[in-house]
Amino acid sequence: MLNSSILEVAIGIVMLYAILSMLVSTIREGIEALLKTRASYLERTIRELLDEAGDGKSKGGKADGEKLTAAIYQHPQIFGLFTGTYDDAGGTKKNSWITRGRNLPSYIPSRNFALALLDMVACGGPKASEKATVHGGLSLARVRANLNLIGNPQVKQALSNAIDTAENDLGKAIANVETWYDSAMERATGRYRRSSQFFLIAIGLAVAIGFNINTFEIADFLYRHPTERGVLIARAQALSASQSAVASSQSDVVRELRDMHLPIGWAHTRPIDCSISGWLAAFLGWLLTGFAVTLGAPFWFDVLNKFVLLRASLKPDDKSASKPPEAPAPPKPAIAPAAGAMAADRSQAPSADPEMHEDGCDLSDEAVPPTEDRDLPAADGGVA
């Protein structure tokens, strides 16, 4: 059977990972708000979708200096999603996990993009984008007539397929362009997640080493200190029962870590053995912590709920476990029965000897004939 102490240590470690994951995610979102890397990835994906390189030049050759990406961002359907103006000269040539997205939007709805692109083509291309008016001027006939004004062969072919399969229905054409855009956004999302994963690993390792959060050291501490382990178990049960008890801000997360009373921080942990094996063990503990927090808080809270339920199923009932076993009742003292009762019992009890008659006469010898009344001796006194 699973040792309850080991299971409680595992619950404490999982709870620590969940809280640290929230801290790392908060730091990541703060850096994202500063750099706006997501906006940079979005812009780069739109450039690739419109068959334009990172420097704004089309791989198929740009027609009369037209720049579709700049025209899309300057369209009324798009430029209302961000402040300032679109700076095409600052276009991102290559994305990285620290690329700055300036003031560009981090998200563009697929319908806004489809309406902006079709309306731009219907109005005569990027040069006429300032005259674009989606309400009233957009029609499939105008889009089809102005397709030759698009200098990008890839975009021209994509729009032509969207129109041809729409069966003269403007709504279906818009939906086809939305699908084309969404497929590109899926690739952008995959790229951003991969870059964010490396970023989270870097932040997790920095937090683990900076605060000396060694998984092996904490597991050993919890195993040797049942009091602190019990406090963590109680907190884990509260978090499992109510999701509203989860910390919601960075200050709450820091306070949650402080209330755990774990050996976190260089001033509250044992000095590291200066040998090679000592530093190797410490580094492996930091590395395990850093990689664990990249899995995210939702993953670890799900694991925490499962462990709490497992512990509840293995733990015996508290009332039955704490109640001492009942002592057997002492035997009652034997009471001698009365003489009359004993005689009655003997008279009613069957004879154990099969040779005894029910009136007590011994029948083991030969039968004796009964005595006649005339043979009885005369009584003395009484009635003659």
Side-chain angles (χ1 to χ4, degrees), residues 1 5-6 12 32 55 85 103 114 195 207 232 254 348 360 371:
M1 181 179 293
S5 300
I6 296 178
E32 167 60 29
D55 57 357
T85 59
N103 62 331
S195 66
V207 170
L232 278 184
V254 174
Q348 297 178 1
T371 305

Side-chain angles (χ1 to χ4, degrees), residues 277-337:
S277 60
W279 281 105
L280 181 60
F283 178 76
L284 290 178
W286 297 332
L287 190 65
L288 180 58
T289 304
F291 273 95
V293 298
T294 61
L295 297 177
F299 172 82
W300 288 116
F301 277 113
D302 183 59
V303 175
L304 180 65
N305 293 335
K306 294 179 179 179
F307 276 13
V308 170
L309 292 177
L310 177 61
R311 178 179 178 272
S313 64
L314 295 179
K315 188 177 181 60
D317 185 71
D318 293 337
K319 294 182 180 180
S320 61
S322 59
K323 185 178 180 180
E326 296 182 356
K332 295 181 179 180
I335 302 176

